[in-house]
Structure formats: C-alpha cells, structure tokens
Amino acid sequence: MIHTKKSRELCKKLLEQKQLPPIDSLFRDDLFDETCRDLQTRNEARVLRDIGMLLVPSAETLRKLGDKSLGSLIESVNESWSNCIPLDATRLTPTRPQPDYSLGFRREAFTEEQLQRLEPFIGDVFSRSYFAATYRMYFPFFASEAKCGREGLDVADRQNAHSMAIAVTAVVELFKAVGREKELDGEILVFSVSHDNESVRIYGWYPTISVYKTTIHRHTIRKFNFTELDGRDRWATDTFTKNVYRVYMPGFLGLIQSAVDQLPHDLLCGIRSDLGGSENSGLSQQLESQSISAANGLGQMTPDSFGQLSSKRQKPAGDSATDVS
C-alpha cells in the first residue's frame, strides 16, 4: 500500500481529471458492442490493432495532432530495451523487456550540459545503462502490455513488472548518485497498463528505500471491465493515460532534470584523462576503485558501485541491491 499522501492524491487526479476522447472511433456508441463482440475470440495482434490505441493512446500521435507539450517524449512499440541493465544481468543470457508500448524521454528533453553529465552513465549505442531503455529512450516511465486468453492478463502483469522494476531502478540509482534517494521513498514513479479485449489493470510502481536495500512495489490503481454497463467506462484508460502524459510527465521530467544537474560535471573529463594516461584526479581514482568499466572514452557503473559512490557506505555481503515484490 502507498504510504504517502502525495501519491494517493496523484492517483486520484490521474483517474478523474477530464480529457477529451477521440471524436470518431470503434468505441463510438453505435459501434462499441460490435467491436467488443468481434474481439472475443481474436488474438493479441487483432486486439492491439482494433482497440490498443483507444485504451492507451500514442503520445507521439497526440503530439503530431497538435499537443506540442509532449515533444520531449519518445515511444517504442514492441522494441527490446536493448540498452538497459536487466534485473538478471549476471546470467549468461539475461532477459530484457520488450513491451507492446512504452514511453520515456528523448535526448532533446535534456540540455547539452545535462547530456554531458549523463554521458558517462549512458555511453554509446552499444552500452548498457541504468538510465536508458534504448539508445533513443531515457528514463522510461510508462508501459503497456496486451494479452489474450484465460491467463493473458497475468502474463501481461508479469511482463510489466519486469519493465517497471527496471524503470523504477533507473530513477532510484540516479537519485542515489546525488544522495537524494530518500525523496523517492514510497512515491509512485512509473505506471503500467495490462489489458485484453475487455479488461484493464492499471498499476503504479514505487520504491521503499532503506540503508542497504531498495524494494520495488506495485500499487493497484484500478481494475475493471470496460464492456460492462454498456461501456460506461470505455474511456477511463484513455483518460488516465493522457493524464500521465499531460499532468504527471512535466513534473517527473523536472524531478529527473534536477538530479541530473547535480551529477559531477567533471566526471567525463576524469574518465577520459585516465584513458589517455594523464594523472588521475581524485574523482576518477574513486570511480576506478568502484569497478567502472571504460570503453571508447566512456565509463559504466555496476549496481554496487553506484550506491557506494553516492553514499560512501559498504553493504553487508549477500545483501541484494534491489528486490522486486
């Protein structure tokens, strides 16, 4: 259960603040029943084609249709998060999320100075990073999965849990790096939607943070069948999703930018001078001792080193950096 008033009020606002639905669609009053009947025995691809964007609208499409406030966002559709550090990173073949739809920030959402501060942690197109899902998408904060069949929604929930655990970890590790992680304790940071041809589950995801351990939790915001009561709530998910984009996103981006502004500005220079054989600076010596691997002039931190850099503390042997529950 969420234990902050701020997150409880946020969920209520995202559910209730009015948004305009599409003018003409398969959810139109005279087409709604037929649309739902047609999808009863169809597969996931058909569900996504017919109603996927009616439940979870595309942020990039909304921008192209005139909502310029969404210009900082970039989405992926069935694209592997190939640049993230997966939860099972120690395995020989770790698994990475590949959401049906996900949303994060494009590079242009950050200033040149902020990108310079992020560069040592993100690297190039082949690097692995806490902060990047793909080379184009930083700090993902929303994902949607569609499934069909008797156990479909449970599968979608598990896939979203994987994606959102990585998304929450990205924000927590950023704030650990600047010593501000306690600001995130108990606060919902990212959101997911699981749906099939008639039901929707909306979740928020938040961390609880102690001295040696971060645990990621799922909070149920709403579960419902959008076909009941003659489709009275058919637009509820569309409304919630648009509110995540328009109401929540600007403040979330500002929160991330405020932490990025506190990352050491000379971090990249220190790493590059080490690679060039120059005399080590104090910061670069510390980074080297924290198991940074450098390639092509860029460094990447391990989970343990990230926490140690920010807090200067040692964790007991065997303690897990991140648990997902």
Side-chain angles (χ1 to χ4, degrees), residues 83-99:
N83 288 84
C84 76
I85 296 178
L87 298 178
D88 55 353
T90 58
R91 291 178 54 185
L92 182 61
T93 56
T95 55
R96 292 182 174 84
Q98 189 170 333

Side-chain angles (χ1 to χ4, degrees), residues 7-128:
S7 285
R8 288 194 296 270
E9 292 176 347
L10 171 65
C11 292
K12 187 173 186 294
K13 186 174 186 178
L14 296 180
L15 286 171
E16 296 179 356
Q17 184 157 315
K18 300 295 184 182
Q19 294 286 346
L20 292 176
I23 296 174
D24 198 15
S25 74
L26 291 177
F27 274 5
R28 203 174 65 194
D29 286 346
D30 60 321
L31 297 175
F32 181 73
D33 288 343
E34 181 182 359
T35 297
C36 294
R37 284 196 305 270
D38 285 348
L39 293 177
Q40 286 179 357
T41 58
R42 301 306 178 97
N43 61 15
E44 176 185 332
R46 178 64 182 271
V47 170
L48 280 169
R49 191 198 73 175
D50 283 8
I51 66 171
M53 286 182 60
L54 299 178
L55 296 173
V56 178
S58 160
E60 291 190 15
T61 298
L62 292 172
R63 175 184 58 79
K64 292 170 185 174
L65 292 174
D67 190 346
K68 302 307 180 185
S69 69
L70 306 183
S72 61
L73 301 178
I74 188 168
E75 60 192 27
S76 69
V77 178
N78 196 31
E79 181 178 354
S80 173
W81 286 9
S82 56
N83 288 84
C84 76
I85 296 178
L87 298 178
D88 55 353
T90 58
R91 291 178 54 185
L92 182 61
T93 56
T95 55
R96 292 182 174 84
Q98 189 170 333
D100 289 331
Y101 177 85
S102 62
L103 192 68
F105 298 106
R106 60 177 70 242
R107 286 179 57 88
E108 290 77 10
F110 301 93
T111 66
E112 284 301 317
E113 181 177 344
Q114 288 168 345
L115 290 173
Q116 289 175 10
R117 293 175 186 270
L118 285 169
E119 188 177 356
F121 303 98
I122 291 176
D124 60 20
V125 67
F126 302 108
S127 299
R128 301 291 178 261

